[in-house]
Amino acid sequence: MITFEDSVDLEQTVIGSIMALSDPDDVMVAKVLSTIKESTFSKLIHRHIYRAIRSMASRSEMIDLISLNEECKKNNNCGDQFVYLAEMQKESGAIKLNIVHHAKLLRESAIERYALKKLHEAVEMFNERSNGDVYQRIGLTETLIGEIGNMSMR
């Protein structure tokens, strides 16, 4: 299982690698953009930055450090992140060739977080006797577990 710290590192690596590659039409960048969603990111600031990346990619704009920082300041509630973005880009240097693999790991991490959340909800719901008799609560539990399966298939 990927820890929260590992997940944050993956998020930073993916964002930094996208900037290092910079071309939204690059095959690896396009694959990443189709693999992960904004909600894949655990840190709010990374969600905002990724939203800015997707916005720029939809306009076929280069996703370099300066342009991404300007997009963040302009439209995405993340403000001036130049230093943070520069650190992410610097750290991702040689790793960018593994960007698709890292994006898949990041997606799996998001699925794990979602599954743990739903399982926790299922336990709480099952223990709440006001949710019906044992058979009704099992049915509700099955529904929540089914949501995990649906999430992992997207």
Side-chain angles (χ1 to χ4, degrees), residues 53-64:
I53 288 170
R54 291 187 66 93
S55 177
M56 293 173 71
S58 72
R59 298 187 305 267
S60 296
E61 294 177 6
M62 297 300 280
I63 308 165
D64 59 84

Side-chain angles (χ1 to χ4, degrees), residues 37-48:
K37 303 178 291 191
E38 184 179 327
S39 62
T40 303
F41 293 86
S42 59
K43 287 191 73 173
L44 183 59
I45 189 64
H46 294 163
R47 289 180 185 177
H48 290 307

Side-chain angles (χ1 to χ4, degrees), residues 111 113-128 131 136-152 154:
I111 292 169
R113 281 193 319 273
Y114 181 82
L116 289 171
K117 177 183 171 208
K118 286 298 178 183
L119 289 170
H120 181 71
E121 288 175 14
V123 168
E124 286 182 350
M125 184 277 316
F126 188 81
N127 287 330
E128 181 58 49
N131 287 325
Q136 291 168 317
R137 288 182 282 144
I138 288 172
L140 292 170
T141 301
E142 287 174 342
T143 301
L144 285 173
I145 291 173
E147 290 176 16
I148 297 170
N150 292 337
M151 163 60 159
S152 65
R154 294 185 223 159

